[in-house]
Amino acid sequence: MADPQTDLVALVGSRLCHDLISPLGAIGNGVELLAMSGAPASPEMELIAESVRAANTRIRFFRIAFGQALPEQRVSQREILAILDDMARSGRMRVRWEIAGDLPRQEVKLAFLAILCLETALPRGGDVVITLSVDGWRVTAQGPQIRTEPGLWAQLAADPGTLPPAQVQFALLPREARLAGRTLRHEIGDSRAVLSF
């Protein structure tokens, strides 16, 4: 396994998320203070508040998916469920986490990267179910439309070619799976997409 200290991608991810979470929190606090001071409610203020909530949720998710994950770090079930519930409120994708207990951060990182890959396959939203058994992790997506894009999904099984920033998870997931000693598999069809490792 690579030395986590030399993983510059994860260090950059952690740094960006760390630096962004504080100003986003300050904006959210400012909106709350305005509401408490008796400022009239308005569609503009509600839009700002909702945007800050969505950005905070995404940053918390990205911090796990793209940030540093040291072997001794764990993520509580409570934190995982809170992030995924908040994401469902601000998007069209619902995630059902069917795993009990706290987990190693490295494992949750793999699952979150898989969620990002499957989000790409659900242009009209849908449901993602995450399970863990003796056979390993299974992340299943179903929705009204599955975007197959064979060339993109092939990146999971080969050295990635040129990817746009919005699809970087397709390069990171196989890399992280290899570092964790996992074999990454995928199935994609007209109504369902599955990632397992």
Side-chain angles (χ1 to χ4, degrees):
M1 180 177 292
D3 180 356
Q5 298 299 324
T6 63
D7 188 350
L8 294 179
V9 173
L11 289 174
V12 169
S14 290
R15 173 63 190 266
L16 288 173
C17 291
H18 177 271
D19 287 0
L20 288 172
I21 202 78
S22 291
L24 282 171
I27 296 168
N29 291 339
V31 171
E32 286 181 18
L33 287 172
L34 283 171
M36 290 168 57
S37 70
S42 69
E44 293 83 5
M45 290 302 290
E46 184 51 41
L47 178 61
I48 293 169
E50 182 54 41
S51 297
V52 169
R53 280 192 294 271
N56 261 316
T57 298
R58 208 69 177 168
I59 290 289
R60 286 162 47 221
F61 183 93
F62 286 164
R63 195 173 196 174
I64 293 174
F66 298 125
Q68 188 178 40
L70 298 175
E72 68 276 10
Q73 290 179 313
R74 296 182 73 79
V75 184
S76 72
Q77 182 185 16
R78 182 177 178 179
E79 181 181 358
I80 294 166
L81 294 177
I83 291 170
L84 296 178
D85 286 348
D86 288 347
M87 281 183 64
R89 287 191 196 98
S90 58
R92 293 177 294 180
M93 184 178 72
R94 294 164 303 282
V95 180
R96 218 166 65 228
W97 186 268
E98 297 188 345
I99 304 164
D102 302 348
L103 292 162
R105 191 180 184 102
Q106 291 173 320
E107 301 281 308
V108 181
K109 178 174 184 157
L110 283 172
F112 277 22
L113 285 169
I115 290 169
L116 286 174
C117 289
L118 291 172
E119 184 179 47
T120 303
L122 297 170
R124 294 169 55 195
D127 297 294
V128 175
V129 179
I130 302 167
T131 58
L132 176 60
S133 68
V134 291
D135 296 322
W137 290 79
R138 187 173 178 87
V139 187
T140 305
Q142 290 185 298
Q145 178 186 351
I146 299 292
R147 182 184 293 150
T148 55
E149 294 188 86
L152 180 59
W153 289 89
Q155 306 272 354
L156 295 173
D159 289 333
T162 303
L163 287 170
Q167 296 171 344
V168 69
Q169 61 271 19
F170 284 90
L172 291 176
L173 178 57
R175 174 182 178 270
E176 293 295 330
R178 281 194 303 272
L179 290 175
R182 301 297 182 87
T183 300
L184 180 64
R185 295 173 296 277
H186 72 277
E187 311 161 30
I188 187 156
D190 293 336
S191 61
R192 189 176 75 154
V194 181
L195 283 167
S196 55
F197 44 88

